[in-house]
Amino acid sequence: DAKSRGRGRVRVFSAELRDHPGDDLATEVALQAALSRSELVLHYQPVIDLWTGRVVGVEALVRWQHPERGLLPPRHFIPTAELSGLIVPLGRWALDRACRDAAAMTGPAAGLDVAVNLSARQLTHPDVVRHVRDALESSGLDPRRLMLEVTESAVLEDDEVAAVALDTLSALGVRIAIDDFGTGYSSLLYLRRYPIDALKLDRAFVSGLTTSPDDEAICASVVSLAHAVGATSIAEGVETVGEYAALRGYGCQQAQGFLWSPAVPIEELAEVVVACHRVPRPARTRPHLPH
Ligand code: C2E
Ligand code: MG
Ligand code: MG
Ligand code: MG
């Protein structure tokens, strides 16, 4: 009967997963199971205020605790999740988990803001506003502590639907960041069209900061552009003191990166926050950009 045929198919897929771990259909089926078996976990990367050197928030980054393959980073399964539509339940799970974790943070991590990545499929999903509102209500998290990160391509893909969703989310008090800024279809129109609270400068530019004059100019320009439109500038992937110093000199407001910490399990967060506070602040090496 159909039921036993169904079981047979599942066996075929798991055999495929063993033989071809990257196979999309196998990954999709395994990911679906992983969601229901709670094999997904969120790790949190501290976000630092570059002026004070204090941790002001965390970004939630999903990992798959795979029973055989160990801890998998998002590049192993997010693309499949996006293509299959599984990103919607996966993203909703991440949103719920992150809001509950943030509301429960104590000690040195108490009160930190939390940023959650939202894919294009989620942003344009008809229930996105309800999902965010539910996550806030069931966790009791102050909406002002939640930031949603969307990419340039996500806002441009279905711009009418995205605009309505972003406006509604913004009205809830949630903040909106453009992630990987500068790597997408950089139409600056959306800066005045959408309620943007933060620009996240992509690591691609940050890592060229002390070696490439072009990257220096791009970083400085994005920081001043953010300032001009009243958005917070946040640098991604800061790994060296030289990058920290240059960003501080440009007046960049916040940053995250291995210089302070990678994303860590929630149990380690309090300890990591304390360690971040011990990272010395470099002198500003360049004049502050005019405001
Ligand atoms: P992203 O949102 O741009 O996240 C930043 C990525 O840079 C993270 O990779 C982080 O671990 C990494 N990173 C941070 N600091 C440094 C550094 O100093 N050096 C280097 N080399 N890397 C650094 P990760 O965790 O592998 O995530 C990759 C991407 O997967 C994220 O990029 C985001 O687009 C996506 N992603 C992660 N979690 C979720 C989620 O819950 N939902 C959705 N839709 N996407 C997610
Ligand atoms: Mg992000
Ligand atoms: Mg990013
Ligand atoms: Mg990035």
Side-chain angles (χ1 to χ4, degrees):
D1 62 355
K3 217 171 170 189
S4 59
R5 272 204 309 280
R7 275 201 294 274
R9 283 168 62 89
V10 170
R11 270 200 301 279
V12 170
F13 292 148
S14 16
E16 262 175 31
L17 176 63
R18 256 198 324 278
D19 300 339
H20 309 282
D23 179 82
D24 270 357
L25 183 56
T27 306
E28 183 185 331
V29 171
L31 188 55
Q32 175 86 68
L35 255 174
S36 55
R37 283 199 302 257
S38 313
E39 288 172 7
L40 299 182
V41 289
L42 288 183
H43 283 189
Y44 293 95
Q45 183 176 40
V47 178
I48 284 80
D49 178 307
L50 294 188
W51 188 247
T52 62
R54 307 290 294 180
V55 176
V56 288
V58 291
E59 178 175 4
L61 294 157
V62 68
R63 276 94 182 84
W64 179 359
Q65 187 62 66
H66 194 285
E68 285 124 43
R69 296 166 67 201
L71 194 67
L72 300 179
R75 67 172 182 280
H76 287 261
F77 58 93
I78 289 283
T80 300
E82 301 259 11
L83 287 172
S84 62
L86 277 175
I87 194 69
V88 172
L90 187 160
R92 190 180 185 192
W93 168 83
L95 190 62
D96 277 323
R97 179 83 258 167
C99 288
R100 274 186 287 136
D101 282 350
M105 280 173 189
T106 54
L112 294 178
D113 290 342
V114 66
V116 177
N117 293 283
L118 216 63
S119 80
R121 291 276 288 254
Q122 273 181 285
L123 182 63
T124 54
H125 191 279
D127 294 333
V128 67
V129 174
R130 184 171 61 80
H131 291 168
V132 172
R133 202 185 278 124
D134 285 353
L136 289 167
E137 273 169 16
S138 62
S139 64
L141 186 73
D142 181 341
R144 288 167 299 185
R145 287 178 59 197
L146 177 64
M147 184 153 81
L148 299 174
E149 300 191 0
V150 300
T151 59
E152 291 162 296
S153 29
V155 292
L156 293 174
E157 203 162 273
D158 196 342
D159 58 342
E160 278 312 314
V161 174
V164 172
L166 290 175
D167 282 339
T168 314
L169 291 168
S170 192
L172 293 179
V174 169
R175 278 167 303 143
I176 310 295
I178 299 288
D179 203 352
D180 306 332
F181 187 78
T183 63
Y185 310 94
S186 299
S187 160
L188 297 179
L189 273 176
Y190 62 68
L191 289 179
R192 62 169 204 227
R193 180 142 182 221
Y194 303 117
I196 307 300
D197 300 286
L199 294 186
K200 297 196 78 172
L201 180 54
D202 195 71
R203 183 167 70 87
F205 307 117
V206 173
S207 50
L209 204 45
T210 50
T211 50
S212 151
D214 284 353
D215 286 346
E216 284 183 32
I218 291 167
C219 288
S221 303
V222 172
V223 169
S224 72
L225 177 63
H227 196 92
V229 299
T232 303
S233 45
I234 309 174
E236 293 190 303
V238 176
E239 296 184 351
T240 69
V241 178
E243 290 160 6
Y244 185 2
L247 288 163
R248 221 169 166 249
Y250 298 142
C252 183
Q253 290 164 295
Q254 298 177 6
Q256 58 194 89
F258 295 171
L259 176 63
W260 293 276
S261 172
V264 297
I266 185 92
E267 301 77 34
E268 293 169 30
L269 189 60
E271 194 183 326
V272 162
V273 166
V274 173
C276 287
H277 290 162
R278 293 202 206 96
V279 174
R281 277 173 298 161
R284 299 210 316 236
T285 54
R286 282 178 184 77
H288 212 82
L289 290 166
H291 287 173

